[in-house]
Amino acid sequence: MNNFVKINWFYTLTAITETLNGFFYFLRKLPVIGTKIPTSLYKSKDIKLAFMIFVGIGKFVMQAGLKLIIVAIAYILSVCIIHQNLSFELFVNGSTAPDAVMAVIMLIVAMVLLPRIMELFYGSPDKKMLAYISHFQLSYTKTVRSLSIFKEIKTLFLYVLPVLLFGWISGVGAFKLALVYILMRLFCFVSFEMLGRKVDVEPIKEPLKGILWAIFSLLAIAIVVVMYRFDLANVAISLPVMLVLAVLTILLGFLFFTYKSESRYIERLITVGNVRLEKTAAAVGNSQNKYLAEGVAMQKHISLGGERKFDHLKGSSLLNALLFYRYKKTLNKSIKIRLGAFALALFICAALNYFVPNVGAYTVSESKFLKLLPGVVFLLYLIGYGKKIVQMCFVNCDVAMLHYPFYRESKTILSGFDQRFKKIFSLNTINALCVFALLLTICLFWGEGISMNFYVVMILFLVAVTLLLSFHELFIYYLLQPFASNMAVANPLYKIITFVFYLLCYATAQLHIKGYWFVLGISIVSLLYVGIGSIVIKNRAPKTFRFKD
Amino acid sequence: MKLILENLEKRFDKKVIFDKASFTFEKGKIYGLLGRNGAGKTTLFNSISRNLALDGGKIFLEDEAGNRNNQYDNTDIGFIYTQPNLPDFMTGAEFIQFFMDINAAKLKERKTVEEHLLSVGIQRDDQHKLLKDYSHGMKNKVQMLVTFMVMPPVILLDEPLTSFDLIAAHEIKELILSIKSDSIIIFSTHILQLAQDLCDELVLLHDQKLTPVDVTIMHDKDFEDQVIALLTDEEDRDGVNE
């Protein structure tokens, strides 16, 4: 078997086998049915072969269907933009050649140019490709090259089928449009492959990388806009342009197939791919647990030092003080972002008030303000620090320390809880102050008939809600300690409570109940929750705060 | 055949891993690579196996005629990872079958899938289980098996044998000894007894350099103390003395 064919054939075959085995594995995990499925299924070649053909055909049909949908969307968009109208009649009988040509160009920009620009011309191997190479001890150069070329040919083929269809519908000619598409796509492929080989973007650091990416992306989009604006579709498919494109494609293709330092380039791609995989694994966490994603992501930003600063502290106090000190930078950054956003909101209010004529005529009554307050609960929930700090504490401290008996002593647990609560409360207070400043500004500019009682209730409400949001995450964390030592969520109740609390905060924002009683009610319930919760924590946390393995 | 490392340089951000590190490994010998945690043993293996680009220096394979090749293929290096890297949703038998089909031209021995798996102690009942359900030791055996099936000129073993039971460890040791005439074998380990049992030479990766250890001390009574002394930093030593 030819090496190119062999590499691609087994790549497909191993992928289908794994999908199939994964499906059997999933079936065996189902209640009732699962126990009836024997493990011998993995061994039965005939059943597997039948399934593999079915899965293979299914995958192909799905991929082809998806491409048909993508081309159809591009075509409909193109018709809409050019004719400023869309009807079934127009789509079937009234569409013209430029519609289809521009749809193809849009397709090339969206599906070829932009993804490749995002990688800054690198066609780095994905996780599946790297795993295939590593598992079967294959040659990097031969395998990456073969798989990339085959992937391009396969994608091109899958797109050509619907392009033929729309070429026929639009009247431009099925084969002509397909030829235009193939030529443009191949030109982009060989151009980017050569750019990747000639330009090493890896040493370029952020934010320059981001700026480059934005410039190239805007340029690509600008091409489409200019072509639409000046009706250049016919120029794009004119014989001279096509000939130039064909010559350039052949030239670049020749350079691509005869590139001398191919193995060095592919090794560079492998390094990039491996580093990216490691980063992804670190960010997502080994357990791929979304309940700890924020804490895991924060690990990257730890800064060391601070030991001498806390010479006067001991034990749990020292541990927590150091923990917060070492994440000071990342916490400060998120505070600055929030302060910036609120400052912008205040600035917009002031600008509206001073520069927009007649805006002063709009007024907000006290009852309307009272209706706004429950919405503040959801806002404070979204920008609060409770979840972030709890995850940070677990991922960076408790996951290791909970293995030690001294860390599970009652005094240590309660002192840790107190310190963490104070920290979250102090951070959430900054959010509450920002909200207070914003509401106060709106009151001063547009408020009408606002009584002193309103200000008192607003302050009580903000204090109570800040206390609640600072306490809740920590409370359920200490009471349920939902994580196992491998960072998986071992207590499903934690997921349920997290979801219900989110729903409650969201529902509160949706309620537009007038009057003081509702706002006071939320405040009182919040304070009661914190008060009763504190007693529960004192009695229960020393028994519950340990791994759920 | 020789594996020549010449003036290797590698750093991660500010941390220097290799600073002009050089060493020559020869075929027919088993080398033990010793170094403290974080010294860069796995990084060295990743660089040799082309998984990681170096910042400086060169790695060559030199044949018997003295021809140097620094563009060798990654398949010339067999890398056995500490954490076995296998496709979870494939059975042991399927994996070996696919491996044999894909690497047919490179196989050293003509055996059936069953014979191959039995040769490393994977019993018939286990051969059709998913690799996901294999124990760590079993996965490690499969990983070693496929590397030994193609027998590349250089074999790197990153802390091997730690997950094997007594019998399996003994069998694998024998297997490594039996193939040493065909390949350059380098393994990293923290277990000195293993190094003493298997190695012809020891190399220290310490202070960003590769340094050979005098083989005559390998069977001395105070061998462990001597290695500890070699791997102890001046600062640590001062700290201990204080």
Side-chain angles (χ1 to χ4, degrees), chain B residues 37-162:
Chain B
N37 293 331
K41 298 185 290 294
T42 306
T43 303
L44 180 70
F45 283 177
N46 272 319
S47 304
I48 295 172
S49 61
R50 300 268 194 231
N51 285 335
L52 200 63
L54 287 161
D55 296 332
K58 283 185 175 165
I59 303 176
F60 302 96
L61 278 182
E62 187 182 277
D63 63 17
E64 313 302 339
N67 299 315
R68 286 183 167 195
N69 174 16
N70 72 338
Q71 292 293 310
Y72 62 86
D73 200 75
N74 62 292
T75 50
D76 288 331
I77 313 292
F79 188 174
I80 295 163
Y81 300 86
T82 314
Q83 293 296 329
N85 185 11
L86 299 168
D88 279 343
F89 288 102
M90 218 176 258
T91 65
E94 275 171 344
F95 175 60
I96 297 299
Q97 183 63 61
F98 278 130
F99 190 90
M100 286 167 67
D101 292 341
I102 298 172
N103 294 290
K106 292 193 281 179
L107 294 179
K108 300 291 174 199
E109 280 183 304
R110 299 282 156 207
K111 281 185 187 172
T112 62
V113 170
E114 197 176 284
E115 284 166 349
H116 273 302
L117 284 166
L118 283 172
S119 73
V120 287
I122 309 277
Q123 299 306 312
R124 284 185 183 85
D125 287 348
D126 294 325
Q127 293 182 2
H128 298 282
K129 280 184 185 168
L130 291 183
L131 288 168
K132 186 180 175 47
D133 296 328
Y134 275 29
S135 70
H136 189 265
M138 284 162 79
K139 284 183 186 176
N140 226 335
K141 283 179 185 174
V142 175
Q143 194 191 204
M144 281 201 182
L145 168 68
V146 290
T147 303
F148 294 158
M149 278 162 73
V150 290
M151 199 66 76
V154 179
I155 297 176
L156 310 173
L157 300 103
D158 196 2
E159 292 179 34
L161 309 189
T162 45

Side-chain angles (χ1 to χ4, degrees), chain A residues 191-262:
Chain A
S191 310
F192 280 131
E193 286 297 329
M194 281 319 293
L195 266 172
R197 280 159 179 78
K198 293 288 177 190
V199 186
D200 184 7
V201 292
E202 267 319 291
I204 303 173
K205 301 277 177 222
E206 297 290 356
L208 188 62
K209 231 178 200 176
I211 294 168
L212 280 176
W213 174 79
I215 291 171
F216 287 126
S217 301
L218 285 173
L219 273 175
I221 294 165
I223 294 171
V224 182
V225 174
V226 168
M227 292 190 81
Y228 271 117
R229 181 72 186 79
F230 298 101
D231 294 331
L232 296 176
N234 287 328
V235 179
I237 57 163
S238 62
L239 193 63
V241 173
M242 287 291 109
L243 275 176
V244 170
L245 217 56
V247 170
L248 284 174
T249 306
I250 292 168
L251 189 72
L252 287 167
F254 176 75
L255 292 174
F256 166 59
F257 282 106
T258 54
Y259 188 66
K260 279 182 183 164
S261 310
E262 187 67 6

Side-chain angles (χ1 to χ4, degrees), chain A residues 6 10 13-14 17-18 21-22 25 42-43 48 134-140 263-264 267 271 274, chain B residues 50-51 53 71 73-75 85-87 89-90 94-95 98-99 101-103 128 130 132 147 150:
Chain A
K6 193 166 89 176
F10 282 109
L13 213 57
T14 52
T17 305
E18 285 201 79
N21 285 341
Y25 181 81
Y42 293 124
K43 194 181 170 183
K48 278 181 116 170
S134 167
H135 294 156
F136 296 100
Q137 303 189 5
L138 300 168
S139 159
Y140 291 150
S263 58
R264 199 167 294 168
E267 275 161 22
T271 304
N274 280 331
Chain B
R50 300 268 194 231
N51 285 335
Q71 292 293 310
D73 200 75
N74 62 292
T75 50
N85 185 11
L86 299 168
F89 288 102
M90 218 176 258
E94 275 171 344
F95 175 60
F98 278 130
F99 190 90
D101 292 341
I102 298 172
N103 294 290
H128 298 282
L130 291 183
K132 186 180 175 47
T147 303
V150 290

Side-chain angles (χ1 to χ4, degrees), chain A residues 15-165:
Chain A
I16 296 177
T17 305
E18 285 201 79
T19 308
L20 196 60
N21 285 341
F23 178 64
F24 290 157
Y25 181 81
F26 165 76
L27 286 181
R28 293 196 70 247
K29 291 278 166 192
L30 289 177
V32 188
I33 319 164
T35 49
K36 290 178 182 149
I37 299 169
T39 46
S40 57
L41 199 61
Y42 293 124
K43 194 181 170 183
S44 54
K45 283 186 178 169
D46 294 338
I47 297 173
K48 278 181 116 170
L49 183 67
F51 266 102
M52 276 166 89
I53 294 169
F54 179 74
V55 171
I57 293 172
K59 265 189 171 178
F60 179 80
V61 170
M62 267 177 66
Q63 284 173 353
L66 189 68
K67 303 292 186 269
L68 177 68
I69 293 168
I70 293 170
V71 178
I73 290 170
Y75 190 67
I76 291 168
L77 269 175
S78 185
V79 171
C80 280
I81 294 169
I82 291 175
H83 299 271
Q84 306 282 308
N85 184 17
L86 181 72
S87 65
F88 185 69
E89 184 59 27
L90 177 68
F91 184 62
V92 178
N93 295 320
S95 62
T96 54
D99 300 344
V101 175
M102 286 311 297
V104 159
I105 291 170
M106 203 159 26
L107 205 64
I108 296 279
V109 169
M111 306 309 291
V112 184
L113 254 66
L114 290 179
R116 206 63 195 261
I117 287 171
M118 253 179 111
E119 302 245 330
L120 284 180
F121 321 127
Y122 263 48
S124 60
D126 58 22
K127 192 180 169 186
K128 265 165 82 178
M129 215 187 267
L130 287 171
Y132 176 61
I133 293 170
S134 167
H135 294 156
F136 296 100
Q137 303 189 5
L138 300 168
S139 159
Y140 291 150
T141 314
K142 286 175 195 159
T143 314
V144 172
R145 205 174 162 91
S146 300
L147 291 177
S148 309
I149 293 172
F150 180 73
K151 191 179 169 189
E152 184 58 27
I153 295 170
K154 190 179 89 178
T155 317
L156 192 141
F157 174 73
L158 288 172
Y159 272 116
V160 162
L161 296 174
V163 166
L164 280 167
L165 175 73

